[in-house]
Amino acid sequence: MKKLPIFLLIIIFLLCSCAEKRITKQTFSFDTVINITADKSDEKKISEALTKCQKFEKIFSRTNPESELYKVNCGAKELKNEHLSHVINFGIEMSRLTDGAFDITIAPLSDVWNIKERTAPPGKSEIEQALKNVGYEKISFSPFNLNNTKIDLGALAKGYIADRLREEFVKSGCENAIIDLGGNIALIGEYTVGIRDPESPEKIFATIKLKDKSAVTSGSYQRYFEYNGNRYHHIIDPRTGYPTSNSIASVTVISPLSMHADALSTAIFVMGEAGLKLLKSFPDTDALILFENGEILTSDGFKEKYDLKLKNN
Ligand code: AMP
Ligand code: MG
């Protein structure tokens, strides 16, 4: 058998058996590296998909003043954009389902924590002030009003975009594609996917074979700063106002829909083992929790469905 080349991705590595027929193109969007791989004959479609990523950024970015979400967060009284409306509605559904452990109104806390630029945690009073403006129940719809909260779609927008791009490739008859939005992977065809080792993110700790699925990992190693020997990462528990601290290193969710996998990996990261019960509401969706001590917990049926190969086996 041919030796399989490795695609180095942000969170997940892929091994594919016919790389010589493939082409990968890259762009930077949503503050992350986007890689799209497909057959060489689909090169034009890859370029179109990368252009679409830039368009989606102008819808979902929380920080770009030209974006639709930015305008909503600044007080726009209507949800005019149908993509934005769809993702916000699903985000609210997830916030309800998780009783607020996942909450799309986390933005006031995301602003205060500003993980990308901070080198020390914010003060207690800043966190308490921000917490007062967090809560999906604050949003009203008729008429639409955020009532002092703000929306952050960082936990699910990439998944939604990956689904839309995948849909375009499928519609155009494409049979092989790897859509990688900073580790949010959506596949057309069968590939071996590697899950990063949170302790040494340049290495993989396990691989799984997936066909036509999406795989998304949320991990405390992805965005963080360290202060006085503590790690402060980007996934915040809306119940405390602090980065979650529950001995989980990463959560990988596999689902036919990337938006589901994306939202669920973040939600389960916050909720821990109790979050696995969420999977019942999503068809054909499974999860793997990797704890800081190296223990692995998988959802019921994961092991029967997927042949998880640990790297040290
Ligand atoms: P992910 O990397 O998909 O797990 O998403 C993390 C991103 O989602 C963060 O960078 C924030 O933008 C946002 N986020 C952080 N904590 C939460 C939370 N508890 N609920 C919803 N979104 C969150
Ligand atoms: Mg997510």
Side-chain angles (χ1 to χ4, degrees):
M1 210 178 112
K2 242 187 286 174
K3 190 144 194 306
L4 306 177
I6 297 176
F7 288 78
L8 269 188
L9 303 172
I10 300 297
I11 300 166
I12 297 183
F13 300 72
L14 299 165
L15 297 105
C16 126
S17 58
C18 40
E20 66 279 5
K21 291 196 322 205
R22 302 288 168 80
I23 181 167
T24 300
K25 290 192 161 202
Q26 193 177 80
T27 189
F28 190 81
S29 201
F30 325 112
D31 215 14
T32 194
V33 181
I34 314 282
N35 281 294
I36 301 183
T37 302
D39 289 345
K40 281 187 179 144
S41 54
D42 287 326
E43 186 173 351
K44 195 165 159 253
K45 287 174 207 152
I46 301 179
S47 301
E48 285 165 4
L50 293 178
T51 306
K52 277 217 173 99
C53 286
Q54 309 295 343
K55 287 192 181 150
F56 278 120
E57 178 158 22
K58 291 221 171 102
I59 298 174
F60 294 114
S61 169
R62 183 170 62 86
T63 50
N64 181 341
E66 287 174 42
S67 89
E68 297 291 329
L69 178 61
Y70 193 93
K71 289 175 200 155
V72 165
N73 279 338
C74 285
K77 289 286 174 242
E78 259 182 295
L79 276 181
K80 283 193 205 142
N81 184 283
E82 62 175 301
H83 297 290
L84 185 61
S85 168
H86 182 82
V87 175
I88 288 180
N89 278 303
F90 175 70
I92 290 177
E93 209 182 295
M94 272 303 288
S95 306
R96 268 196 210 113
L97 205 59
T98 60
D99 219 1
F102 176 100
D103 194 323
I104 57 162
T105 65
I106 199 82
L109 281 167
S110 312
D111 285 340
V112 159
W113 277 97
N114 190 10
I115 295 290
K116 216 172 128 191
E117 278 159 31
R118 265 191 186 277
T119 50
K124 211 171 159 213
S125 61
E126 268 183 282
I127 292 171
E128 278 167 5
Q129 191 52 43
L131 260 176
K132 286 187 191 150
N133 292 326
V134 173
Y136 66 96
E137 314 91 329
K138 294 182 196 296
I139 304 176
S140 48
F141 279 90
S142 40
F144 179 74
N145 195 327
L146 289 185
N147 298 307
N148 286 332
T149 190
K150 285 189 178 168
I151 293 176
D152 176 345
L153 299 173
L156 72 170
K158 287 207 287 279
Y160 176 79
I161 296 160
D163 287 333
R164 298 289 72 77
L165 300 181
R166 186 178 180 281
E167 194 173 63
E168 288 297 318
F169 277 105
V170 169
K171 260 194 223 158
S172 68
C174 168
E175 289 176 355
N176 292 293
I178 303 164
I179 296 153
D180 169 20
L181 308 187
N184 265 66
I185 310 287
L187 302 172
I188 302 173
E190 187 174 57
Y191 302 88
T192 301
V193 173
I195 303 170
R196 279 189 188 265
D197 179 351
E199 285 236 323
S200 317
E202 69 289 353
K203 296 188 188 147
I204 51 174
F205 91 93
T207 59
I208 7 172
K209 215 177 239 180
L210 298 178
K211 188 171 182 216
D212 297 332
K213 290 270 168 69
S214 172
V216 180
T217 298
S218 287
S220 56
Y221 61 90
Q222 290 163 354
R223 283 167 202 245
Y224 66 90
F225 64 83
E226 273 171 1
Y227 181 76
N228 277 351
N230 291 319
R231 178 178 290 193
Y232 296 90
H233 61 81
H234 70 312
I235 303 175
I236 298 167
D237 189 332
R239 300 162 297 192
T240 63
Y242 284 80
T244 54
S245 169
N246 55 11
S247 71
I248 290 180
S250 73
V251 175
T252 299
V253 175
I254 299 165
S255 177
L257 275 186
S258 197
M259 180 168 71
H260 290 174
D262 195 1
L264 283 165
S265 64
T266 311
I268 296 171
F269 195 96
V270 179
M271 295 172 78
E273 187 175 347
L276 293 178
K277 70 174 187 304
L278 297 168
L279 297 169
K280 286 195 206 102
S281 308
F282 298 86
D284 195 17
T285 299
D286 295 275
L288 179 152
I289 302 179
L290 180 60
F291 291 92
E292 283 164 357
N293 65 4
E295 274 176 38
I296 295 171
L297 181 68
T298 52
S299 52
D300 292 344
F302 185 103
K303 288 194 174 131
E304 290 77 58
K305 232 192 244 178
Y306 301 108
D307 181 20
L308 183 73
K309 289 205 164 69
L310 297 182
K311 271 306 267 181
N312 53 3
N313 277 355

